[in-house]
Amino acid sequence: MLSRILVPLDGSPLAESVLPQVVELANLRKAEIVLVRVALAHALPGGNPADAQFLAVDAAQKYLAKIEAGLAAQGITVQSVVRYGHAAEEILDHTGTNGIDLIAMSTHGRSGF
């Protein structure tokens, strides 16, 4: 059964390009969409690492809130989650501990060979 679809987002239009297909699938299967953004801050020398982490998480929450509101306005059941750490590890950890049935994401934006 497909009931929870995780969509990792990094703030780019390319990452968001998968959303129309996910919305269609969620509507067909009456599934919940779980938006995930992984934040990781690098403090500048002399900077406060805790402040950098707070700002990164805050920006991620604001970004996801906008996407979530747009999906909710379409009648989609959606939740947003901000994780802190390295993207691949955090996405897999969230998937494994939260009953995610499918991860839907676009390809990376690199070009060339």
Side-chain angles (χ1 to χ4, degrees):
M1 175 174 220
L2 180 62
S3 61
R4 300 188 85 208
I5 305 168
L6 184 139
V7 181
L9 296 173
D10 63 5
S12 71
L14 181 63
E16 294 171 19
S17 70
V18 74
L19 288 172
Q21 292 82 12
V22 172
V23 166
E24 185 176 342
L25 183 58
N27 280 327
L28 286 171
R29 305 295 248 159
K30 304 214 182 339
E32 175 185 22
I33 296 175
V34 180
L35 304 173
V36 174
R37 174 120 187 224
V38 180
L40 183 60
H42 301 284
L44 297 173
N48 184 335
D51 287 344
Q53 179 178 347
F54 173 79
L55 291 172
V57 169
D58 185 58
Q61 289 171 332
K62 288 177 181 173
Y63 165 72
L64 287 181
K66 289 178 188 176
I67 304 294
E68 182 177 352
L71 294 174
Q74 297 177 55
I76 302 294
T77 302
V78 59
Q79 74 167 270
S80 298
V81 177
V82 174
R83 306 274 305 218
Y84 190 82
H86 296 282
E89 295 164 3
E90 294 302 319
I91 291 165
L92 290 174
D93 183 62
H94 191 81
T95 298
T97 59
N98 290 281
I100 301 298
D101 300 306
L102 176 71
I103 299 173
M105 60 192 294
S106 62
T107 186
H108 58 74
R110 298 184 192 124
S111 61
F113 288 106

XYZ file of all heavy atoms in Angstrom:
829
model
N 0.838 -1.179 0.000
C 0.000 0.000 0.000
C 0.887 1.248 0.000
O 1.899 1.296 0.665
C -0.900 -0.017 1.235
C -1.726 1.230 1.391
S -2.867 1.062 2.732
C -4.251 1.849 2.008
N 0.496 2.228 -0.737
C 1.248 3.477 -0.845
C 0.486 4.552 -0.089
O -0.529 5.051 -0.554
C 1.403 3.854 -2.321
C 2.166 5.128 -2.621
C 3.604 5.036 -2.137
C 2.136 5.424 -4.102
N 0.981 4.886 1.103
C 0.255 5.873 1.903
C 1.079 7.096 2.274
O 0.516 8.120 2.637
C -0.301 5.229 3.172
O 0.752 4.727 3.971
N 2.413 7.002 2.185
C 3.264 8.142 2.538
C 4.388 8.278 1.519
O 5.189 7.371 1.333
C 3.858 7.971 3.937
C 2.758 7.868 4.998
C 3.297 7.884 6.390
N 3.452 9.290 6.734
C 4.355 9.743 7.594
N 5.179 8.939 8.190
N 4.422 11.028 7.861
N 4.444 9.456 0.888
C 5.451 9.738 -0.131
C 6.367 10.838 0.385
O 5.907 11.935 0.686
C 4.792 10.198 -1.445
C 3.765 9.181 -1.935
C 5.861 10.471 -2.510
C 2.879 9.700 -3.061
N 7.634 10.547 0.482
C 8.618 11.528 0.936
C 9.206 12.250 -0.266
O 9.596 11.612 -1.253
C 9.727 10.839 1.727
C 10.768 11.771 2.336
C 11.117 11.309 3.735
C 12.000 11.862 1.489
N 9.238 13.582 -0.180
C 9.812 14.401 -1.248
C 10.924 15.254 -0.654
O 10.664 16.218 0.059
C 8.748 15.302 -1.912
C 9.379 16.123 -3.033
C 7.579 14.486 -2.427
N 12.185 14.910 -0.905
C 13.289 15.741 -0.432
C 13.396 16.998 -1.304
O 13.371 16.907 -2.528
C 14.534 14.865 -0.620
C 14.045 13.511 -0.997
C 12.664 13.681 -1.531
N 13.496 18.144 -0.667
C 13.617 19.412 -1.388
C 14.839 20.165 -0.899
O 15.148 20.157 0.288
C 12.362 20.268 -1.179
C 11.060 19.687 -1.727
C 9.876 20.538 -1.299
C 11.122 19.575 -3.238
N 15.516 20.830 -1.835
C 16.709 21.596 -1.470
C 16.566 23.088 -1.744
O 17.520 23.842 -1.662
C 17.945 21.049 -2.184
C 17.870 21.179 -3.698
O 16.897 21.786 -4.208
O 18.786 20.691 -4.369
N 15.353 23.502 -2.116
C 15.123 24.914 -2.377
C 15.251 25.299 -3.833
O 15.015 26.444 -4.203
N 15.584 24.347 -4.682
C 15.776 24.661 -6.096
C 14.525 24.342 -6.901
O 13.767 23.426 -6.559
C 16.954 23.857 -6.655
O 16.601 22.485 -6.760
N 14.320 25.068 -8.008
C 13.206 24.736 -8.904
C 13.311 23.312 -9.455
O 12.300 22.656 -9.669
C 13.327 25.772 -10.022
C 14.054 26.920 -9.404
C 15.009 26.290 -8.412
N 14.528 22.837 -9.677
C 14.708 21.483 -10.183
C 14.167 20.458 -9.186
O 13.457 19.521 -9.574
C 16.180 21.199 -10.475
C 16.473 19.815 -11.039
C 15.801 19.634 -12.396
C 17.958 19.590 -11.164
N 14.462 20.622 -7.919
C 13.954 19.691 -6.904
C 12.434 19.738 -6.837
O 11.776 18.715 -6.670
C 14.566 20.008 -5.541
N 11.867 20.922 -6.997
C 10.419 21.095 -6.927
C 9.710 20.562 -8.165
O 8.490 20.361 -8.141
C 10.081 22.569 -6.739
C 10.540 23.129 -5.415
C 10.383 24.636 -5.325
O 9.601 25.217 -6.109
O 11.057 25.242 -4.476
N 10.433 20.328 -9.239
C 9.808 19.899 -10.491
C 9.117 18.542 -10.378
O 8.278 18.211 -11.222
C 10.835 19.890 -11.627
O 11.774 18.848 -11.443
N 9.419 17.773 -9.370
C 8.780 16.472 -9.178
C 7.398 16.612 -8.527
O 6.591 15.685 -8.572
C 9.695 15.535 -8.347
C 9.711 15.924 -6.876
C 9.277 14.091 -8.509
N 7.091 17.764 -7.969
C 5.856 17.926 -7.205
C 4.569 17.664 -8.003
O 3.657 17.019 -7.473
C 5.815 19.287 -6.529
C 6.783 19.438 -5.352
C 6.817 20.876 -4.865
C 6.412 18.491 -4.223
N 4.422 18.123 -9.244
C 3.172 17.823 -9.957
C 2.900 16.323 -10.099
O 1.765 15.872 -9.939
C 3.366 18.482 -11.323
C 4.348 19.582 -11.065
C 5.275 19.046 -10.007
N 3.920 15.538 -10.357
C 3.751 14.091 -10.468
C 3.411 13.471 -9.113
O 2.596 12.555 -9.022
C 5.013 13.436 -11.051
C 5.273 13.774 -12.487
C 5.974 15.122 -12.676
O 6.468 15.726 -11.742
N 5.978 15.595 -13.909
N 4.032 13.983 -8.064
C 3.768 13.467 -6.718
C 2.337 13.807 -6.299
O 1.643 12.982 -5.706
C 4.799 14.013 -5.706
C 4.415 13.639 -4.284
C 6.187 13.480 -6.033
N 1.886 15.002 -6.616
C 0.508 15.399 -6.301
C -0.471 14.476 -7.016
O -1.451 14.007 -6.424
C 0.266 16.881 -6.662
C -1.218 17.215 -6.666
C 1.022 17.783 -5.696
N -0.216 14.195 -8.278
C -1.093 13.302 -9.036
C -1.133 11.912 -8.401
O -2.201 11.323 -8.220
C -0.613 13.218 -10.485
C -1.520 12.405 -11.371
C -1.080 12.415 -12.825
O -0.299 13.281 -13.232
O -1.543 11.521 -13.553
N 0.023 11.395 -8.042
C 0.097 10.078 -7.414
C -0.587 10.086 -6.047
O -1.329 9.158 -5.712
C 1.558 9.639 -7.286
C 1.818 8.261 -6.713
C 1.130 7.179 -7.551
C 3.326 8.009 -6.631
N -0.361 11.134 -5.269
C -0.990 11.238 -3.950
C -2.511 11.284 -4.071
O -3.224 10.655 -3.278
C -0.472 12.471 -3.220
N -3.008 12.000 -5.053
C -4.454 12.049 -5.272
C -5.009 10.682 -5.668
O -6.059 10.270 -5.175
C -4.808 13.085 -6.339
C -4.833 14.492 -5.787
O -5.180 14.718 -4.645
N -4.450 15.445 -6.617
N -4.314 9.981 -6.537
C -4.769 8.659 -6.974
C -4.788 7.654 -5.831
O -5.693 6.827 -5.738
C -3.869 8.132 -8.091
C -4.028 8.777 -9.458
C -2.926 8.307 -10.396
C -5.390 8.459 -10.039
N -3.776 7.717 -4.969
C -3.621 6.730 -3.897
C -4.104 7.227 -2.539
O -3.989 6.515 -1.559
C -2.162 6.321 -3.791
C -1.597 5.808 -5.085
C -2.251 4.549 -5.532
N -1.262 3.513 -5.428
C -1.535 2.233 -5.348
N -2.743 1.817 -5.364
N -0.585 1.362 -5.267
N -4.591 8.467 -2.496
C -5.007 9.091 -1.238
C -3.864 9.030 -0.222
O -4.042 8.705 0.948
C -6.262 8.432 -0.696
C -7.394 8.460 -1.715
C -8.724 8.593 -1.119
C -9.872 8.585 -2.073
N -9.711 8.886 -3.447
N -2.677 9.354 -0.707
C -1.462 9.284 0.097
C -1.109 10.645 0.682
O -1.488 11.691 0.145
C -0.295 8.774 -0.753
N -0.366 10.617 1.738
C 0.169 11.826 2.372
C 1.529 12.130 1.760
O 2.313 11.219 1.484
C 0.330 11.594 3.874
C 0.996 12.731 4.603
C 1.249 12.422 6.068
O 1.296 11.233 6.439
O 1.416 13.378 6.829
N 1.805 13.406 1.554
C 3.118 13.838 1.079
C 3.899 14.373 2.276
O 3.388 15.189 3.046
C 2.995 14.918 -0.008
C 2.310 14.352 -1.247
C 4.378 15.483 -0.365
C 2.043 15.379 -2.332
N 5.119 13.902 2.416
C 6.011 14.368 3.480
C 7.163 15.116 2.813
O 7.970 14.518 2.106
C 6.553 13.190 4.320
C 7.484 13.698 5.415
C 5.405 12.370 4.906
N 7.192 16.417 3.016
C 8.267 17.251 2.475
C 9.422 17.260 3.460
O 9.214 17.487 4.652
C 7.769 18.679 2.264
C 6.537 18.853 1.383
C 6.086 20.303 1.419
C 6.814 18.400 -0.033
N 10.626 17.018 2.971
C 11.804 17.019 3.845
C 12.857 17.946 3.260
O 13.167 17.888 2.072
C 12.399 15.606 4.010
C 13.694 15.645 4.797
C 11.403 14.684 4.680
N 13.381 18.778 4.112
C 14.537 19.602 3.744
C 15.597 19.357 4.799
O 15.326 19.405 5.997
C 14.172 21.087 3.709
C 15.376 21.975 3.483
C 15.229 22.794 2.249
N 16.460 23.507 1.965
C 16.514 24.755 1.595
N 15.407 25.459 1.463
N 17.655 25.323 1.311
N 16.792 19.060 4.346
C 17.904 18.825 5.257
C 18.766 20.073 5.283
O 19.216 20.546 4.243
C 18.730 17.594 4.844
C 19.880 17.379 5.815
C 17.845 16.352 4.776
N 18.957 20.602 6.474
C 19.759 21.812 6.655
C 21.126 21.424 7.202
O 21.247 20.509 8.019
C 19.056 22.764 7.622
N 22.130 22.119 6.751
C 23.482 21.941 7.271
C 24.195 23.275 7.137
O 24.278 23.821 6.030
C 24.243 20.857 6.514
C 25.639 20.533 7.030
C 25.602 20.037 8.469
C 26.316 19.508 6.136
N 24.634 23.794 8.247
C 25.291 25.103 8.243
C 26.784 24.930 8.476
O 27.210 24.067 9.231
C 24.700 25.984 9.337
N 27.532 25.773 7.823
C 28.974 25.820 8.033
C 29.288 27.201 8.595
O 29.129 28.206 7.904
C 29.726 25.586 6.719
C 29.407 24.267 6.096
N 29.917 23.088 6.569
C 28.600 23.932 5.060
C 29.452 22.079 5.842
N 28.649 22.577 4.926
N 29.701 27.229 9.838
C 29.998 28.509 10.480
C 31.323 29.054 9.953
O 32.283 28.313 9.730
C 30.072 28.334 11.990
N 31.332 30.335 9.745
C 32.564 31.000 9.327
C 33.524 31.061 10.495
O 33.103 31.057 11.662
C 32.247 32.411 8.843
C 31.356 32.498 7.607
C 30.973 33.947 7.326
C 32.053 31.895 6.402
N 34.820 31.119 10.227
C 35.775 31.235 11.329
C 35.416 32.430 12.212
O 35.153 33.528 11.728
C 37.119 31.453 10.627
C 36.926 30.843 9.270
C 35.480 31.074 8.924
N 35.361 32.188 13.489
C 34.997 33.232 14.442
C 33.503 33.370 14.631
O 33.041 34.093 15.508
N 32.727 32.685 13.807
C 31.270 32.736 13.913
C 30.766 31.726 14.926
O 31.464 30.805 15.327
N 29.534 31.899 15.315
C 28.916 31.007 16.277
C 28.220 29.866 15.533
O 27.252 30.111 14.811
C 27.905 31.787 17.128
C 27.296 30.948 18.220
O 27.236 29.728 18.125
N 26.820 31.610 19.257
N 28.668 28.616 15.710
C 28.048 27.492 14.998
C 26.564 27.319 15.345
O 25.772 26.948 14.485
C 28.856 26.277 15.447
C 30.105 26.813 16.029
C 29.819 28.203 16.494
N 26.190 27.604 16.581
C 24.785 27.469 16.978
C 23.914 28.479 16.237
O 22.797 28.161 15.814
C 24.639 27.638 18.487
N 24.413 29.692 16.059
C 23.667 30.704 15.307
C 23.510 30.280 13.847
O 22.436 30.436 13.259
C 24.373 32.066 15.363
C 24.253 32.730 16.725
O 23.389 32.319 17.528
O 25.040 33.668 16.977
N 24.574 29.755 13.267
C 24.523 29.306 11.874
C 23.515 28.173 11.717
O 22.739 28.151 10.761
C 25.908 28.863 11.412
N 23.494 27.245 12.670
C 22.550 26.138 12.621
C 21.120 26.659 12.748
O 20.234 26.255 12.002
C 22.840 25.137 13.730
C 21.878 23.968 13.743
C 22.203 22.943 14.812
O 23.273 22.966 15.409
N 21.288 22.041 15.060
N 20.880 27.577 13.672
C 19.545 28.144 13.863
C 19.057 28.811 12.576
O 17.921 28.617 12.155
C 19.531 29.156 15.010
C 18.223 29.868 15.127
C 17.134 29.271 15.734
C 18.060 31.140 14.582
C 15.909 29.913 15.820
C 16.844 31.799 14.651
C 15.762 31.179 15.281
N 19.908 29.607 11.955
C 19.519 30.304 10.724
C 19.218 29.323 9.590
O 18.265 29.526 8.823
C 20.607 31.288 10.304
C 20.787 32.505 11.216
C 22.013 33.308 10.802
C 19.542 33.367 11.231
N 20.008 28.264 9.472
C 19.788 27.274 8.414
C 18.465 26.541 8.612
O 17.698 26.357 7.666
C 20.945 26.276 8.374
N 18.178 26.156 9.840
C 16.925 25.450 10.135
C 15.736 26.379 9.949
O 14.710 25.993 9.382
C 16.966 24.838 11.549
C 15.594 24.330 11.978
C 17.998 23.713 11.606
N 15.857 27.616 10.401
C 14.774 28.585 10.251
C 14.448 28.832 8.779
O 13.277 28.841 8.381
C 15.146 29.893 10.950
C 14.009 30.897 10.939
O 12.911 30.566 11.450
O 14.216 32.017 10.432
N 15.462 29.010 7.966
C 15.248 29.223 6.528
C 14.583 28.002 5.896
O 13.682 28.145 5.059
C 16.571 29.531 5.835
N 14.995 26.818 6.295
C 14.407 25.588 5.760
C 12.935 25.472 6.155
O 12.088 25.092 5.338
C 15.188 24.373 6.251
N 12.612 25.813 7.395
C 11.215 25.753 7.844
C 10.336 26.731 7.071
O 9.216 26.387 6.674
C 11.131 26.038 9.344
C 11.677 24.921 10.190
C 11.795 25.286 11.660
O 11.958 26.448 12.031
N 11.723 24.276 12.511
N 10.827 27.937 6.851
C 10.054 28.938 6.106
C 9.833 28.490 4.661
O 8.740 28.653 4.112
C 10.758 30.285 6.157
C 10.686 30.935 7.525
C 11.463 32.230 7.576
C 11.379 32.830 8.977
N 12.245 33.992 9.136
N 10.855 27.944 4.053
C 10.744 27.452 2.680
C 9.694 26.346 2.588
O 8.809 26.381 1.729
C 12.113 26.950 2.204
C 12.055 26.099 0.968
C 11.773 26.669 -0.270
C 12.278 24.737 1.033
C 11.716 25.882 -1.412
C 12.220 23.952 -0.097
C 11.937 24.522 -1.318
O 11.869 23.746 -2.446
N 9.782 25.359 3.480
C 8.829 24.251 3.431
C 7.409 24.704 3.741
O 6.452 24.156 3.176
C 9.250 23.136 4.398
C 10.455 22.306 3.984
C 10.730 21.235 5.031
C 10.278 21.684 2.615
N 7.254 25.682 4.602
C 5.916 26.183 4.938
C 5.211 26.723 3.696
O 3.998 26.520 3.516
C 5.999 27.253 6.020
N 5.953 27.389 2.822
C 5.361 27.910 1.580
C 4.912 26.778 0.663
O 3.813 26.809 0.108
C 6.368 28.801 0.841
C 6.627 30.113 1.513
C 7.665 30.911 0.735
C 8.071 32.148 1.502
N 9.142 32.872 0.811
N 5.759 25.774 0.506
C 5.421 24.640 -0.350
C 4.237 23.875 0.250
O 3.292 23.503 -0.454
C 6.631 23.698 -0.541
C 7.841 24.439 -1.093
C 6.254 22.498 -1.410
C 7.682 24.975 -2.484
N 4.279 23.667 1.549
C 3.206 22.948 2.235
C 1.866 23.668 2.064
O 0.840 23.032 1.786
C 3.538 22.800 3.716
C 2.498 22.030 4.497
C 2.862 21.832 5.957
O 3.994 22.154 6.366
O 1.975 21.349 6.693
N 1.855 24.981 2.208
C 0.619 25.753 2.070
C 0.038 25.600 0.663
O -1.187 25.451 0.498
C 0.873 27.220 2.388
N 0.884 25.611 -0.343
C 0.417 25.441 -1.713
C -0.190 24.076 -1.953
O -1.214 23.953 -2.631
N 0.410 23.048 -1.387
C -0.127 21.698 -1.548
C -1.417 21.518 -0.757
O -2.378 20.914 -1.247
C 0.910 20.659 -1.126
C 2.169 20.580 -1.991
C 3.168 19.611 -1.387
C 1.831 20.182 -3.409
N -1.453 22.052 0.450
C -2.651 21.950 1.283
C -3.829 22.656 0.612
O -4.975 22.193 0.699
C -2.387 22.527 2.669
N -3.564 23.758 -0.072
C -4.617 24.487 -0.785
C -5.219 23.647 -1.913
O -6.341 23.899 -2.345
C -4.065 25.802 -1.336
N -4.475 22.639 -2.373
C -4.963 21.728 -3.409
C -5.678 20.520 -2.811
O -6.061 19.593 -3.517
C -3.801 21.234 -4.275
C -3.084 22.313 -5.043
C -1.905 21.740 -5.808
O -2.046 20.809 -6.580
N -0.725 22.317 -5.586
N -5.802 20.515 -1.484
C -6.484 19.415 -0.809
C -5.599 18.228 -0.494
O -6.084 17.154 -0.154
N -4.305 18.407 -0.583
C -3.350 17.336 -0.314
C -3.059 17.273 1.179
O -2.879 18.304 1.833
C -2.026 17.588 -1.071
C -2.265 17.696 -2.576
C -0.976 16.538 -0.745
C -2.738 16.424 -3.220
N -2.993 16.069 1.718
C -2.523 15.885 3.088
C -1.003 15.955 3.040
O -0.365 15.162 2.342
C -2.981 14.525 3.653
O -4.399 14.460 3.584
C -2.511 14.355 5.086
N -0.441 16.902 3.760
C 0.999 17.153 3.657
C 1.557 17.536 5.013
O 0.878 18.160 5.831
C 1.292 18.258 2.596
C 0.613 19.551 2.941
C 2.769 18.459 2.386
N 2.785 17.138 5.251
C 3.518 17.586 6.424
C 4.940 17.926 6.009
O 5.447 17.422 5.006
C 3.506 16.559 7.548
C 4.387 15.350 7.324
C 4.576 14.530 8.574
O 5.503 14.763 9.340
N 3.693 13.567 8.779
N 5.566 18.793 6.780
C 6.931 19.226 6.498
C 7.839 18.837 7.647
O 7.452 18.937 8.807
C 6.988 20.747 6.329
O 6.199 21.141 5.252
N 9.039 18.438 7.289
C 10.030 18.045 8.284
C 11.366 18.654 7.900
O 11.798 18.529 6.751
C 10.178 16.504 8.346
C 11.261 16.099 9.324
C 8.861 15.847 8.679
N 12.009 19.301 8.859
C 13.372 19.789 8.654
C 14.292 18.911 9.488
O 14.073 18.720 10.685
C 13.532 21.268 9.067
C 14.996 21.696 8.970
C 12.653 22.149 8.199
N 15.289 18.372 8.843
C 16.309 17.562 9.521
C 17.622 18.329 9.441
O 17.820 19.128 8.543
C 16.455 16.202 8.840
C 15.186 15.387 8.681
C 14.859 14.550 9.860
N 15.948 13.676 10.212
C 15.804 12.431 10.635
N 14.613 11.891 10.706
N 16.845 11.712 10.978
N 18.512 18.052 10.371
C 19.809 18.720 10.374
C 20.896 17.672 10.232
O 20.945 16.702 10.995
C 20.013 19.519 11.666
C 21.225 20.407 11.588
C 21.155 21.640 10.972
C 22.450 19.978 12.074
C 22.268 22.446 10.849
C 23.572 20.782 11.962
C 23.480 22.007 11.359
O 24.589 22.802 11.229
N 21.750 17.847 9.234
C 22.849 16.911 9.026
C 23.172 16.792 7.553
O 22.981 17.731 6.780
N 23.636 15.619 7.174
C 23.981 15.349 5.778
C 22.763 14.763 5.077
O 22.110 13.848 5.587
C 25.175 14.406 5.693
C 26.415 15.020 6.273
N 27.168 15.945 5.589
C 27.001 14.872 7.479
C 28.168 16.334 6.354
N 28.091 15.703 7.503
N 22.464 15.281 3.898
C 21.196 15.009 3.223
C 20.885 13.512 3.072
O 19.822 13.061 3.498
C 21.175 15.696 1.861
N 21.760 12.754 2.460
C 21.461 11.343 2.197
C 21.174 10.582 3.484
O 20.207 9.819 3.578
C 22.602 10.695 1.431
N 21.998 10.800 4.486
C 21.826 10.095 5.758
C 20.513 10.470 6.431
O 19.793 9.605 6.941
C 22.999 10.406 6.688
C 24.320 9.878 6.183
C 25.518 10.512 6.893
O 25.323 11.315 7.819
O 26.645 10.178 6.503
N 20.191 11.736 6.430
C 18.975 12.200 7.099
C 17.715 11.747 6.364
O 16.720 11.385 6.993
C 18.993 13.718 7.256
C 20.070 14.223 8.194
C 19.972 13.647 9.597
O 18.842 13.527 10.120
O 21.021 13.306 10.173
N 17.748 11.766 5.040
C 16.598 11.305 4.259
C 16.349 9.820 4.522
O 15.220 9.395 4.769
C 16.814 11.586 2.760
C 16.772 13.096 2.498
C 15.788 10.843 1.906
C 17.314 13.508 1.150
N 17.401 9.028 4.477
C 17.244 7.590 4.720
C 16.807 7.303 6.148
O 15.969 6.423 6.376
C 18.544 6.855 4.395
C 18.887 6.790 2.915
C 20.270 6.165 2.710
C 17.827 6.044 2.131
N 17.335 8.038 7.111
C 16.928 7.835 8.501
C 15.451 8.169 8.682
O 14.705 7.411 9.303
C 17.780 8.691 9.449
C 17.424 8.438 10.896
O 17.587 7.288 11.351
O 16.951 9.390 11.570
N 15.021 9.275 8.124
C 13.617 9.660 8.247
C 12.716 8.637 7.547
O 11.648 8.284 8.060
C 13.370 11.063 7.685
C 12.027 11.583 8.031
N 11.739 12.149 9.254
C 10.860 11.588 7.342
C 10.474 12.482 9.299
N 9.905 12.158 8.140
N 13.144 8.159 6.413
C 12.379 7.155 5.679
C 12.214 5.880 6.493
O 11.118 5.332 6.609
C 13.076 6.833 4.342
O 13.114 8.028 3.562
C 12.354 5.745 3.572
N 13.304 5.438 7.094
C 13.285 4.183 7.838
C 12.530 4.232 9.148
O 12.049 3.204 9.620
N 12.392 5.401 9.730
C 11.761 5.491 11.050
C 10.358 6.099 11.023
O 9.747 6.242 12.078
C 12.638 6.324 12.010
O 12.825 7.635 11.467
C 13.980 5.659 12.257
N 9.847 6.421 9.831
C 8.553 7.112 9.778
C 7.563 6.520 8.784
O 6.655 7.216 8.330
C 8.781 8.595 9.470
C 9.416 9.298 10.641
O 8.743 9.636 11.606
N 10.726 9.492 10.586
N 7.708 5.273 8.448
C 6.721 4.599 7.613
C 6.561 5.169 6.220
O 5.463 5.225 5.688
N 7.648 5.584 5.621
C 7.616 6.117 4.258
C 7.578 4.956 3.275
O 8.358 4.009 3.382
C 8.854 7.018 3.999
C 8.913 8.179 4.991
C 8.881 7.485 2.553
C 7.748 9.140 4.925
N 6.678 5.042 2.300
C 6.535 3.985 1.311
C 7.295 4.258 0.016
O 7.622 3.333 -0.726
C 5.050 3.802 0.960
C 4.231 3.438 2.180
O 4.577 2.458 2.857
O 3.255 4.159 2.463
N 7.530 5.545 -0.288
C 8.154 5.915 -1.549
C 8.913 7.222 -1.377
O 8.423 8.128 -0.700
C 7.069 6.095 -2.621
C 7.501 6.587 -3.998
C 8.287 5.500 -4.729
C 6.279 7.000 -4.815
N 10.080 7.306 -1.967
C 10.827 8.562 -2.050
C 10.732 9.025 -3.489
O 11.068 8.281 -4.414
C 12.306 8.392 -1.660
C 12.443 7.904 -0.223
C 13.062 9.709 -1.860
C 13.868 7.557 0.179
N 10.265 10.257 -3.686
C 10.149 10.823 -5.034
C 11.016 12.062 -5.106
O 10.829 13.008 -4.355
C 8.697 11.177 -5.337
N 11.976 12.034 -6.018
C 12.857 13.191 -6.164
C 13.332 13.295 -7.597
O 13.373 12.315 -8.327
C 14.040 13.099 -5.202
C 14.917 11.887 -5.379
S 16.100 11.593 -4.043
C 17.163 12.985 -4.179
N 13.684 14.513 -7.976
C 14.217 14.722 -9.312
C 15.719 14.442 -9.291
O 16.315 14.262 -8.238
C 13.937 16.163 -9.780
O 14.583 17.069 -8.927
N 16.289 14.444 -10.454
C 17.729 14.230 -10.569
C 18.490 15.471 -10.107
O 17.909 16.537 -9.924
C 18.100 13.866 -12.022
O 19.468 13.531 -12.070
C 17.837 15.020 -12.961
N 19.778 15.344 -9.926
C 20.593 16.507 -9.571
C 20.730 17.424 -10.791
O 20.477 17.023 -11.922
C 21.955 16.097 -9.034
C 22.751 15.253 -9.979
N 23.360 15.756 -11.082
C 23.011 13.940 -9.984
C 23.978 14.786 -11.725
N 23.770 13.654 -11.090
N 21.124 18.652 -10.549
C 21.147 19.636 -11.622
C 22.453 19.792 -12.353
O 22.652 20.764 -13.059
N 23.339 18.850 -12.240
C 24.624 18.961 -12.941
C 24.439 18.686 -14.422
O 23.532 17.988 -14.839
C 25.621 17.981 -12.345
C 25.889 18.276 -10.893
C 26.955 17.341 -10.363
N 26.989 17.462 -8.918
C 26.850 16.469 -8.075
N 26.677 15.239 -8.522
N 26.884 16.673 -6.793
N 25.330 19.218 -15.215
C 25.243 18.954 -16.644
C 26.589 18.452 -17.149
O 27.587 18.541 -16.460
C 24.840 20.232 -17.396
O 25.797 21.236 -17.197
N 26.580 17.967 -18.353
C 27.819 17.448 -18.936
C 28.093 16.022 -18.476
O 27.248 15.359 -17.902
N 29.299 15.579 -18.720
C 29.656 14.203 -18.360
C 29.861 14.037 -16.892
O 30.483 14.670 -16.198
C 30.920 13.770 -19.106
C 30.659 13.552 -20.571
C 31.092 14.455 -21.517
C 29.928 12.455 -20.969
C 30.855 14.243 -22.859
C 29.693 12.242 -22.319
C 30.152 13.137 -23.265
